[in-house]
Amino acid sequence: MSSSSSSNPADPSKELPEGVARALCLPPGLSLPTMSPEGVIFQCLCHMQLAENSFEWVNTIDISKGINDRLPVVFIEKGQVLHSVEGMIHYMQQSHGLDGFLSPGDFKTCTALVGFAYDRLSVVVSHLWFGMENNYENVVKPALSGNMGFIQRLWLPSRFRGVHEELTKHCRYLSHTTETPEELQEEMVGLFERVCEVLVQCLERKKSMFGNIGRLTSLDAVVFGLLACIVSPPFEENPFLASMQKNFPELLLFHKFILGSFPFELDLATRENLRPVDAPPRKKPSMTTGADASREEKEKKDEYKVQRQRAFWVAGAMGVGYLLFSGIGSALLRAGQALGSSPARHPNVKDEEDEDAEEAEEDEEEKEEVENSFSMTEDE
């Protein structure tokens, strides 16, 4: 890939040979190869599908050269101009075999997810860059102004923010009922997290969206380009990155994987700042190949089998112990009952028969005493 400055504005529109693309785009900055998500997406698509000498960049800060004040604009053969992500992807699919390895069902799913992710995440990126005042004034505006002349600095920054305001105003995924910046930011974070939940389900435990490491898809390029505009810029306030670190570390690993897969053209200082944010420790890894996943699944099944056998033997041993001790207890109980029914009694224990005999003996003695006293009376 080659790049050139904007000193020759006619250069992008000159006749191009077949199979060659030339992009008029924003210059590098904010730890990105170009300061727009659409530019990062297209550069990723080019690295995926085109030879290194089949695409080049012409850097400019003047967004009035773009379509509807938006860059990049891509020039291809026969004077055709591409100015949307949808048009760039369609061109790559028709001319360079992008997504050609997908089955019809996966291709339909991929196309739907591209629209789903781009429509929502582009609004999130725009809010992070231009809607959050501290980020814009302290990071984005200086990065843009560093590439502007004195006259451009008087009007171009407001044009950038105007594009953002139009994008947010017409976004149908927002309620447009928020009254404070805090409420709008909370709504933006909610929108971002709903998209991330869908993307994480698509990733599952794979490195790329459809699991084919050797051949990536348009969805991989779109998601990477948008996530890079959230992860890479050095913002002090970034609720979206904080949400990814806490709830969606799989997407950070995905960003790191794509970033290391292609030679994005960055100067040394920018590349030093482009260290991906490390994901927090996880209970299970989210980056495994198909063979690794099969091996892990087999190991889990074997471990479960061992645990089940161990539980079976423990339960059996407990059952035998219960039967053994219950048998001994029953024998002791029967022996106690037998001892209790024996005629031998403790000498200090008197039953009812003994008491009756004693009472009868006492009655007999009293009777004899009465008779004796009576006979003595008669003799007198």
Side-chain angles (χ1 to χ4, degrees):
M1 180 188 68
S2 62
S3 62
S4 61
S5 67
S6 57
S7 58
N8 186 5
D11 184 51
S13 59
K14 72 178 184 180
E15 191 67 25
L16 293 170
E18 185 176 355
V20 175
R22 182 177 292 119
L24 186 66
C25 60
L26 294 170
L30 299 173
S31 298
L32 294 166
T34 177
M35 289 186 288
S36 73
E38 293 80 8
V40 179
I41 290 170
F42 185 66
Q43 189 172 132
C44 188
L45 288 170
C46 290
H47 281 300
M48 286 165 48
Q49 298 298 130
L50 300 180
E52 186 174 353
N53 58 353
S54 298
F55 62 100
E56 59 185 47
W57 302 91
V58 177
N59 295 328
T60 180
I61 197 68
D62 188 357
I63 58 176
S64 64
K65 296 181 181 297
I67 306 297
N68 297 325
D69 287 343
R70 301 201 67 170
L71 294 173
V73 174
V74 181
F75 300 88
I76 57 177
E77 65 270 11
K78 299 179 181 179
Q80 300 179 72
V81 181
L82 310 174
H83 59 87
S84 67
V85 169
E86 181 182 4
M88 298 173 194
I89 291 175
H90 182 72
Y91 163 71
M92 288 290 189
Q93 289 172 340
Q94 296 297 316
S95 302
H96 301 282
L98 178 66
D99 300 334
F101 66 93
L102 294 175
S103 65
D106 284 345
F107 182 84
K108 185 176 180 180
T109 301
C110 180
T111 302
L113 287 173
V114 164
F116 171 83
Y118 178 76
D119 290 346
R120 292 159 176 81
L121 291 183
S122 59
V123 177
V124 169
V125 171
S126 183
H127 174 76
L128 178 66
W129 285 29
F130 300 102
M132 298 177 68
E133 192 67 25
N134 289 337
N135 291 345
Y136 174 73
E137 291 293 339
N138 299 330
V139 180
V140 177
K141 186 176 180 180
L144 294 173
S145 300
N147 295 277
M148 296 178 184
F150 175 77
I151 301 299
Q152 290 176 318
R153 292 176 189 172
L154 299 178
W155 62 277
L156 267 181
S158 60
R159 291 278 290 273
F160 277 100
R161 298 201 85 172
V163 172
H164 155 71
E165 290 171 358
E166 285 297 312
L167 182 63
T168 305
K169 179 180 177 181
H170 297 290
C171 178
R172 63 180 183 274
Y173 308 111
L174 299 174
S175 64
H176 301 288
T177 59
T178 56
E179 298 180 357
T180 64
E182 291 76 15
E183 291 176 345
L184 177 59
Q185 180 169 309
E186 184 177 353
E187 187 175 8
M188 286 287 185
V189 171
L191 175 64
F192 173 72
E193 290 181 344
R194 289 194 295 272
V195 178
C196 288
E197 288 172 358
V198 175
L199 296 177
V200 166
Q201 289 179 1
C202 187
L203 269 176
E204 293 179 343
R205 297 174 64 189
K206 306 184 294 290
K207 286 186 176 181
S208 62
M209 290 295 169
F210 284 86
N212 192 319
I213 297 176
R215 304 184 69 182
L216 300 175
T217 65
S218 55
L219 180 60
D220 292 295
V222 169
V223 174
F224 168 75
L226 293 163
L227 292 183
C229 293
I230 295 173
V231 174
S232 298
F235 297 129
E236 293 184 2
E237 183 183 2
N238 194 337
F240 308 105
L241 177 57
S243 177
M244 289 175 66
Q245 290 174 313
K246 181 179 179 181
N247 304 312
F248 310 104
E250 298 91 341
L251 294 178
L252 288 173
L253 294 173
F254 166 80
H255 167 263
K256 184 176 182 179
F257 167 67
I258 301 296
L259 183 65
S261 299
F262 303 112
F264 291 101
E265 188 171 290
L266 301 172
D267 57 81
L268 181 60
T270 303
R271 185 170 291 280
E272 284 296 317
N273 292 329
L274 198 54
R275 294 168 182 164
V277 179
D278 291 330
R282 305 179 64 236
K283 294 182 179 179
K284 58 181 181 180
S286 63
M287 290 177 56
T288 56
T289 62
D292 292 335
S294 300
R295 191 183 308 110
E296 289 181 3
E297 185 177 357
K298 184 176 182 302
E299 290 175 355
K300 287 183 178 180
K301 288 183 178 179
D302 293 341
E303 183 180 357
Y304 173 73
K305 185 177 179 181
V306 171
Q307 291 178 351
R308 187 174 59 181
Q309 291 176 345
R310 188 178 302 161
F312 172 78
W313 286 111
V314 170
M318 292 177 64
V320 172
Y322 172 77
L323 293 175
L324 179 62
F325 284 106
S326 63
I328 294 175
S330 299
L332 292 175
L333 180 61
R334 287 195 297 271
Q337 291 175 348
L339 291 174
S341 62
S342 175
R345 294 186 298 275
H346 194 276
N348 294 328
V349 179
K350 295 182 178 181
D351 56 15
E352 294 181 357
E353 294 180 359
D354 294 338
E355 293 179 354
D356 293 341
E358 289 179 357
E359 291 178 358
E361 187 176 351
E362 290 177 356
D363 292 341
E364 190 67 29
E365 290 177 354
E366 291 178 358
K367 184 177 180 181
E368 289 179 357
E369 290 179 357
V370 172
E371 290 178 352
N372 290 335
S373 64
F374 180 75
S375 59
M376 289 176 62
T377 305
E378 288 181 348
D379 291 341
E380 291 179 356

